[in-house]
Amino acid sequence: MTTINNNGLIRQQIQQNNISTTQSNPSQGQLNLSTLCNALQSSFSANKLERDQAESALKSIDSLPNACPLLLQIICSRTDVPEPIRSAAAIYLKNITRKHWGGPPPPSPDPSSLLPSSPARTNQPPAAPTVHPADKPSIKAGVVNALMTEPSKPISRLLAECLHNLCVAEYPHSWPDLLPTLLSNVVKGGQESDPVRVLGSLVGLRKLCKRYEYKSSAGRAPLKAIIDSGLPLLLQVLQALARQEMNPHVGNVIKQTLKVFWSCTQFNMSDSDALTYEALLPWFACIHDLLKRGMPPPEEGMRGREREKWVWCKVQKWSVQIMTRMYSRYGNPKAAEAGLLDFAQKFSQGAAVTFMGPVCETLAVRVRGGYVSPRVVMLCLSYLDTAIEQKSTWTALKPHLNFVVFDVCFDVVKLEDEDVELLNDDPHEYIARGNDIMSEFVDPRVMALTLVEDLVKFRTSSVARVLVDFLKANVAGYGASADHRGFEASLQLLGTLAKFMKDPKSGFSQDLPELLIRFVLPQFGSAEGYVRARSLWVVSMYYDLPFGGHFGSLVEGVLLRLSDPCLPVQVEAGKALQFLIQVPGTETSLLPVLPRILDEYFRIMREIGNDDVLTALDIIVEKFGDHIAPHAVSLVANLSGAFARYCETEDDEDMEAASAASQSLECISTVLRVVQDDEEIFRASEPHLLPVIAAVLDPSGSYVDNLEYGLDLLTFLTYFQSTFSPGLWSLFPMVVAAFHEFAFDFVGLMSTPLDNFIVKDFSGFCGAKTASGEKYIDLLFGMVKKVVEAGEDTAEESEVRKALGLFLSVFHTASQRPESKPFIDQYLPAATDITLSKLKEKSTADFASTRVQCYTVLGALLFYNVSSAAAELERRSALGTVVGMWMQDAADVEKRSSKKGAVLGWLALISLGSERLQRSGVDMADLVRGVIELGKSLSDDYDRAGEEDDDDGLDDDDVANAAQWGDMDGPQGFDGADEDGDIDILGKNNAEMMMFAGGGFGGKWDDDDDDDEFESPIDDVNEFVVLEEVFARLAQSEPAKLEAIKAGLPPDTLAAVGELIKAAQTYRASKT
């Protein structure tokens, strides 16, 4: 094809089209085939300028109404257009159908959105469609036809994505003939021996199924139509192909047929006659035969990953995956969903047993040295793990236990050449693979260990003795056999079974210490790095056994391996030490070498980011807390440096480094906690911590996963230091900026260090400004306002209360700093408005917690400056209303801090005099009575708290109960249970599962996690002394009023006054 640079022409045509669109004239601005084709070809040009021009022009073709037909024409020109250009055309078609086709009709409005109290809900409108409605039928037909006839797999995938985009917008409401078209092409392809058409139809059918496979029953109606009309036809296809020669075309069609079946059944068995057990039996028979038939000889030179991607490996994988899913999800009668009990009973007694044969035969291929992909091995082992639960399949499996446990599982657990090469050539990747949590779902080694563990746990008498004897013999005979990998596998199985083995009821715990000391401890010095690493790991699994006089040797051996030349060995040694130091007395022997231990951990941390190593260091710091002070600054410096290194990793998907970064900050928190009484250490550590906290607070939000830990560090620095450096103060606006940018949900955690800033250096807070001149107090008020005014969907109630608590920090502190009054007075109106807005919003809420916090803030304003605060409420005609609501909610005030705030606020109002209160609709008699009753309640709270502080131990009943309930998860199988019967594995935690799944706690509840035990600037203000003083002044200023009030009080309330005055006198006496 001749290359013509027509990029300028494309842009010109686009401009013309834009004009024609505004003129509603679709005949203008049409793109021609030659121009588009040449532009696509130019996008592959080696000339950068030409390539950039082409790509720039092609970005705008989606605005041309005839772009889709032309792209389809290019895609289908297989003989005239090179495949790369056809692929590019398919990519552009996929993007246009995704962005500019036009979506389905809008759903019915959510009824809740019509409620007056609901915030307005607005959605971004989809991109304006540019495909003309008149062209859509031909484009849909063209995409389907292209998919049916496209032999190129990459282009076929792109066309399938185009079909998916069209289905999202059109199916089934505007495209009811799509399913019949796809199914008819399956038939037509079979009749004409056209595997490309059959495969294309199945690919399209799978895309259609995937739209609905995860939907709930209510949204699966289109999938039910596919199941009803499609599965019977696909069964015929599968039955016919299963008898044909095993060539790639046949394999691809079988694989795609199985994938459609998977999408129809893997998540839900809908109410369809095509999904009864009887209807699916022919499917099970075909899958059984496919797996039993095995795979044809591989193509010449096919190795490793290439073979794993081979179509017949894929057929094998989908066959086992379907049956494993069927058994685990639908085949257990004790876990059957409603309406599927009959299916489960028939499946567990029939197909599940029948399928045991080909599963074991597939595993036998591996045992004989043939190739079975790791994924298939994992799925087969998963099937067997499910099979041990049911009596029918267990009976079939039991005669073959030696084959399953020793020939299969033990061999799968062994390291392969690839593993050993990885350990030697790339130890970092070796460690990363070992810590990959996703391996549980794909790694056959993990599944083999799980199967063995479940066999020992649930079929103990049939497996445990012979397996343990085998493993012990392997370990004891290692010196003679020199079977390094067999020894390592034996240790891995022994470690996996540690919980079972250590239980005295197992009968195996007595001789374990001798086995480990005689045969495992010497292998700390093995020539093979993986043997040393596994030996350290297995010792950490059995650290709490009684090693007697050998324990010191064990500890010394682990310490030596911290400096092992092999990095995975160092990591295992670091992890093992965290267990050994938990044994009583170990810290005595380790204390003299503590500096050496810390240095080794620092070195390992510099080499690799491993959160297990950092967890071990965290435990060591905790254990040696009294001796950490000399090393604290060095620890903080090294951990801060480690955090920076782990965050700079180039691989954004390095979850191990990300986890290690978080763990390093958590370890710093532990260090600071154990040295919290030494302010000098905090001063020396601050230069290392400020950059870390600043990085976590960066407005980009790049380290949001570590924000909680960063705020913890800031809390330590602001709480345990008496004065703040300019560098520390510079973090205040960064906290507020992070809140506005990305951390709204962290306001509760932010409130603690912000409170420390305010309370501990109030004058610094009042005078602080940003570089642009914005006052820190203005930043704080803006933050509180944003939280309080946020809707319920944005801010949790507890977050609102935390934010309002920052007002308490300001005004309680100001009440004790008279010199700040002129500055703080100007913020009374804003605080009043913000608090009243939330009080009004929550005036009828079922739970009073947020209202109570609003009252507490208003009480703080009144206590700070009652005349001005009352005037602000009076200007808003709110004083009488607020006091009335406050007193009505007094019974719901539970926290001592809120009770104290109410008492002080009400006493402040009483000091204004009855005449002013009466003008605002407040009855002084009600206030006096309320103060006395709430004060008495508060006094009782203090008495109860004192009694609880005197009794903080466990009584004999507590100890007995702890012993009775201490071990609820011991080994099963020792109690004489029927080991050859069904096992209810799922039912063992049924009560707990039901509690969480079904809302077992019941009812509506309020997430009130506010802490009642906190330090406040008014802790030294005794409310009973204030009460005595206010009542004394009232007796002088309004004696008649006071006597009238007293006359109306019941005897118990009058008696309470005497008790409160006595409490005030007792307090005064304690201060003299």
Side-chain angles (χ1 to χ4, degrees):
M1 178 182 295
T2 303
T3 302
I4 304 173
N5 191 343
N6 285 309
N7 302 324
L9 180 59
I10 290 182
R11 283 192 292 271
Q12 181 182 356
Q13 291 182 353
I14 290 171
Q15 292 170 358
Q16 292 173 348
N17 181 68
N18 289 339
I19 296 171
S20 67
T21 300
T22 60
Q23 296 172 344
S24 302
N25 185 356
S27 64
Q28 296 182 16
Q30 297 294 304
L31 185 65
N32 64 62
L33 182 63
S34 175
T35 302
L36 178 57
C37 200
N38 281 303
L40 289 169
Q41 184 168 350
S42 295
S43 68
F44 291 92
S45 172
N47 184 309
K48 185 177 185 303
L49 179 60
E50 184 178 351
R51 188 172 65 251
D52 290 346
Q53 288 177 341
E55 291 173 353
S56 175
L58 287 167
K59 285 180 181 178
S60 301
I61 65 169
D62 53 10
S63 64
L64 296 175
N66 66 330
C68 288
L70 291 180
L71 289 169
L72 271 170
Q73 202 171 340
I74 293 171
I75 293 168
C76 295
S77 300
R78 299 183 188 91
T79 58
D80 299 328
V81 181
E83 185 167 325
I85 297 178
R86 295 199 304 118
S87 295
I91 291 171
Y92 280 103
L93 180 63
K94 180 195 72 171
N95 293 335
I96 292 175
T97 55
R98 179 170 57 88
K99 297 177 182 178
H100 300 286
W101 185 266
S108 301
D110 183 352
S112 65
S113 68
L114 305 179
L115 297 175
S117 60
S118 299
R121 302 183 182 183
T122 58
N123 296 316
Q124 282 293 105
T130 59
V131 180
H132 197 279
D135 293 334
K136 287 186 176 183
S138 62
I139 296 172
K140 290 189 292 187
V143 169
V144 172
N145 182 64
L147 181 61
M148 300 301 105
T149 56
E150 180 54 59
S152 168
K153 191 171 184 179
I155 298 178
S156 176
R157 287 176 175 171
L158 290 168
L159 288 168
E161 288 302 317
C162 294
L163 180 65
H164 169 79
N165 296 336
L166 300 180
C167 290
V168 170
E170 302 278 334
Y171 187 82
H173 59 278
S174 299
W175 204 357
D177 61 337
L178 175 59
L179 178 60
T181 299
L182 293 174
L183 295 178
S184 65
N185 273 282
V186 172
V187 175
K188 181 179 179 181
Q191 293 171 344
E192 299 177 357
S193 299
D194 184 354
V196 172
R197 182 172 296 276
V198 175
L199 185 59
S201 304
L202 293 173
V203 168
L205 197 58
R206 174 88 195 290
K207 282 295 178 184
L208 199 56
C209 292
K210 284 178 70 66
R211 281 267 296 130
Y212 306 99
E213 63 179 319
Y214 294 109
K215 291 188 180 294
S216 62
S217 299
R220 289 170 62 89
L223 184 61
K224 184 178 184 299
I226 298 172
I227 292 169
D228 290 341
S229 58
L231 286 191
L233 173 62
L234 297 189
L235 175 61
Q236 298 175 23
V237 172
L238 190 62
Q239 289 172 328
L241 293 175
R243 296 188 294 268
Q244 292 187 16
E245 179 185 353
M246 301 174 75
N247 60 56
H249 288 302
V250 170
N252 279 316
V253 173
I254 292 176
K255 180 191 73 172
Q256 204 62 42
T257 303
L258 294 176
K259 290 171 74 172
V260 173
F261 181 83
W262 167 265
S263 292
C264 290
T265 60
Q266 68 117 347
F267 188 71
N268 192 303
M269 297 278 273
S270 63
D271 184 18
S272 170
D273 292 340
L275 295 180
T276 64
Y277 180 75
E278 289 72 20
L280 292 181
L281 264 179
W283 280 95
F284 299 153
C286 282
I287 296 172
H288 173 282
D289 293 345
L290 283 171
L291 195 58
K292 187 173 182 180
R293 187 180 184 185
M295 296 185 292
E299 299 174 11
E300 188 69 29
M302 189 179 286
R303 294 287 185 275
R305 298 292 182 191
E306 185 181 1
R307 186 163 184 181
E308 198 170 332
K309 295 178 180 179
W310 186 33
V311 63
W312 289 105
C313 277
K314 296 289 188 180
V315 168
Q316 194 177 57
K317 184 205 81 169
W318 282 104
S319 299
V320 185
Q321 182 168 305
I322 287 170
M323 296 308 293
T324 301
R325 179 69 169 178
M326 277 284 169
Y327 196 6
S328 63
R329 184 168 179 82
Y330 307 115
N332 185 345
K334 292 187 177 181
E337 300 173 7
L340 290 176
L341 178 59
D342 180 68
F343 182 96
Q345 289 172 336
K346 292 176 179 177
F347 186 94
S348 62
Q349 299 296 322
V353 179
T354 305
F355 207 71
M356 291 286 291
V359 166
C360 289
E361 289 169 13
T362 301
L363 292 171
V365 171
R366 186 186 189 278
V367 173
R368 293 192 297 267
Y371 179 80
V372 182
S373 73
R375 178 71 171 156
V376 170
V377 173
M378 189 281 294
L379 289 167
C380 287
L381 294 175
S382 179
Y383 187 91
L384 296 182
D385 191 51
T386 304
I388 67 176
E389 301 178 32
Q390 301 295 312
K391 180 179 179 179
S392 55
T393 44
W394 167 245
T395 302
L397 179 64
K398 190 174 180 180
H400 308 287
L401 283 178
N402 282 347
F403 163 77
V404 171
V405 174
F406 302 117
D407 296 342
V408 178
C409 290
F410 184 74
D411 191 63
V412 168
V413 171
K414 282 184 181 181
L415 293 175
E416 298 182 355
D417 292 343
E418 179 186 353
D419 301 309
V420 178
E421 290 173 6
L422 189 64
L423 181 141
N424 294 325
D425 299 339
D426 191 353
H428 290 79
E429 178 62 21
Y430 179 86
I431 294 169
R433 286 192 185 181
N435 293 324
D436 184 6
I437 59 174
M438 295 305 296
S439 64
E440 299 178 33
F441 306 102
V442 297
D443 189 348
R445 186 174 291 124
V446 174
M447 195 64 244
L449 293 168
T450 300
L451 175 56
V452 172
E453 186 178 18
D454 286 345
L455 281 167
V456 170
K457 186 174 183 179
F458 299 113
R459 303 296 182 180
T460 309
S461 62
S462 300
V463 180
R465 172 57 63 183
V466 64
L467 173 60
V468 173
D469 288 348
F470 171 80
L471 296 176
K472 286 182 176 180
N474 277 358
V475 171
Y478 171 51
S481 68
D483 180 7
H484 306 306
R485 299 185 190 181
F487 178 75
E488 192 272 348
S490 299
L491 292 185
Q492 190 163 4
L493 283 163
L494 278 174
T496 301
L497 300 175
K499 186 176 182 180
F500 166 81
M501 297 282 287
K502 289 188 292 186
D503 193 295
K505 292 183 291 186
S506 70
F508 299 112
S509 61
Q510 296 84 351
D511 56 349
L512 283 174
E514 181 183 1
L515 180 77
L516 295 172
I517 291 297
R518 287 185 59 193
F519 302 109
V520 178
L521 178 58
Q523 301 313 319
F524 285 6
S526 170
E528 299 294 336
Y530 60 84
V531 172
R532 299 197 299 276
R534 187 59 65 190
S535 299
L536 290 161
W537 175 81
V538 80
V539 164
S540 69
M541 296 294 101
Y542 290 96
Y543 75 96
D544 50 352
L545 289 178
F547 289 104
H550 297 285
F551 189 74
S553 301
L554 203 62
V555 173
E556 184 59 31
V558 172
L559 289 176
L560 287 173
R561 290 305 109 197
L562 284 172
S563 54
D564 193 278
C566 180
L567 183 60
V569 177
Q570 298 171 25
V571 170
E572 287 300 336
K575 291 158 59 176
L577 199 56
Q578 69 174 304
F579 298 103
L580 296 178
I581 64 172
Q582 298 179 39
V583 177
T586 310
E587 62 270 21
T588 304
S589 59
L590 291 179
L591 186 58
V593 294
L594 180 59
R596 170 191 155 197
I597 293 173
L598 295 178
D599 286 343
E600 292 294 348
Y601 274 93
F602 295 155
R603 183 186 53 74
I604 296 172
M605 285 160 47
R606 287 191 292 270
E607 181 71 22
I608 187 172
N610 183 278
D611 63 332
D612 288 330
V613 171
L614 286 157
T615 300
L617 179 59
D618 189 76
I619 292 172
I620 290 172
V621 169
E622 189 82 53
K623 190 73 173 180
F624 292 98
D626 295 339
H627 307 280
I628 287 297
H631 315 285
V633 177
S634 176
L635 276 163
V636 171
N638 277 278
L639 288 164
S640 299
F643 172 78
R645 287 193 302 276
Y646 301 153
C647 289
E648 289 172 359
T649 177
E650 295 181 1
D651 186 359
D652 292 336
E653 298 181 358
D654 189 348
M655 297 303 295
E656 181 69 13
S659 180
S662 299
Q663 189 62 43
S664 63
L665 297 188
E666 190 168 358
C667 193
I668 293 175
S669 294
T670 302
V671 174
L672 298 179
R673 187 173 64 252
V674 300
V675 298
Q676 62 187 20
D677 296 328
D678 194 330
E679 188 170 343
E680 289 304 313
I681 292 178
F682 280 81
R683 292 265 176 246
S685 300
E686 185 177 297
H688 304 293
L689 295 175
L690 293 183
V692 170
I693 301 172
V696 170
L697 294 172
D698 187 83
S700 68
S702 300
Y703 305 110
V704 65
D705 290 341
N706 299 303
L707 183 57
E708 181 176 350
Y709 302 110
L711 292 171
D712 283 345
L713 299 182
L714 184 58
T715 300
F716 275 111
L717 290 178
T718 53
Y719 185 82
F720 291 107
Q721 295 191 95
S722 56
T723 59
F724 301 152
S725 68
L728 189 56
W729 266 116
S730 70
L731 296 177
F732 188 103
M734 295 186 69
V735 172
V736 178
F739 162 81
H740 286 295
E741 291 295 330
F742 64 89
F744 186 99
D745 294 339
F746 288 83
V747 65
L749 294 173
M750 291 175 172
S751 66
T752 304
L754 294 180
D755 172 80
N756 292 338
F757 274 117
I758 297 165
V759 174
K760 301 199 73 174
D761 188 2
F762 192 64
S763 59
F765 168 69
C766 292
K769 297 180 180 179
T770 65
S772 61
E774 193 169 6
K775 298 174 184 177
Y776 281 16
I777 191 171
D778 291 335
L779 297 177
L780 184 83
F781 269 63
M783 180 178 176
V784 175
K785 186 174 188 290
K786 184 174 181 178
V787 176
V788 170
E789 294 182 352
E792 292 183 356
D793 293 340
T794 304
E796 297 287 342
E797 289 295 289
S798 60
E799 292 170 342
V800 172
R801 294 193 289 272
K802 287 289 187 182
L804 288 170
L806 293 172
F807 281 168
L808 298 178
S809 304
V810 172
F811 289 99
H812 279 162
T813 307
S815 71
Q816 306 305 299
R817 308 286 178 86
E819 71 279 3
S820 67
K821 189 172 183 296
F823 177 76
I824 296 299
D825 276 354
Q826 61 187 313
Y827 290 94
L828 272 171
T832 303
D833 285 336
I834 293 170
T835 307
L836 286 180
S837 69
K838 180 53 66 174
L839 182 60
K840 181 180 180 181
E841 178 188 328
K842 294 296 177 183
S843 59
T844 59
D846 292 338
F847 296 98
S849 301
T850 302
R851 286 201 304 276
V852 169
Q853 184 72 338
C854 292
Y855 300 142
T856 307
V857 172
L858 294 173
L861 302 184
L862 292 167
F863 181 68
Y864 158 71
N865 187 337
V866 64
S867 180
S868 297
E872 292 297 333
L873 291 170
E874 288 167 340
R875 269 195 291 274
R876 295 160 179 77
S877 302
L879 181 58
T881 304
V882 166
V883 172
M885 292 173 58
W886 198 347
M887 299 189 73
Q888 187 175 348
D889 281 332
D892 293 320
V893 179
E894 299 177 352
K895 299 181 183 299
R896 295 198 297 270
S897 58
S898 296
K899 290 180 180 179
K900 180 173 181 174
V903 168
L904 292 175
W906 291 351
L907 286 170
L909 286 173
I910 291 171
S911 70
L912 292 175
S914 60
E915 184 177 343
R916 181 172 175 181
L917 293 177
Q918 189 173 2
R919 287 199 302 267
S920 297
V922 179
D923 187 349
M924 181 180 281
D926 291 339
L927 271 180
V928 170
R929 184 174 60 253
V931 162
I932 296 170
E933 292 174 352
L934 202 56
K936 180 62 170 65
S937 173
L938 187 55
S939 177
D940 293 342
D941 289 345
Y942 289 145
D943 291 340
R944 281 191 293 270
E947 293 171 0
E948 291 170 3
D949 289 341
D950 292 337
D951 183 17
D952 57 358
L954 291 174
D955 58 26
D956 292 341
D957 289 340
D958 292 328
V959 175
N961 288 335
Q964 178 181 357
W965 298 102
D967 184 10
M968 295 297 293
D969 196 24
Q972 298 189 23
F974 303 125
D975 55 0
D978 179 10
E979 283 216 342
D980 289 332
D982 291 341
I983 298 173
D984 187 11
I985 294 177
L986 293 176
K988 61 182 179 179
N989 292 318
N990 188 59
E992 291 88 344
M993 292 170 65
M994 289 299 294
M995 179 69 74
F996 288 104
F1001 292 102
K1004 183 179 178 183
W1005 63 287
D1006 187 36
D1007 181 20
D1008 189 7
D1009 59 356
D1010 302 325
D1011 187 7
D1012 193 40
E1013 303 300 329
F1014 66 96
E1015 295 182 15
S1016 168
I1018 59 170
D1019 282 346
D1020 291 335
V1021 176
N1022 185 277
E1023 55 272 35
F1024 306 131
V1025 171
V1026 176
L1027 180 146
E1028 183 186 28
E1029 293 172 348
V1030 170
F1031 280 9
R1033 289 196 298 271
L1034 184 61
Q1036 290 186 355
S1037 62
E1038 299 188 60
K1041 182 69 175 178
L1042 181 59
E1043 288 302 319
I1045 291 173
K1046 289 170 61 178
L1049 296 176
D1052 56 340
T1053 304
L1054 284 173
V1057 176
E1059 294 178 21
L1060 298 178
I1061 292 175
K1062 183 179 178 180
Q1065 294 169 347
T1066 302
Y1067 176 81
R1068 280 202 186 91
S1070 69
K1071 295 300 181 181
T1072 58

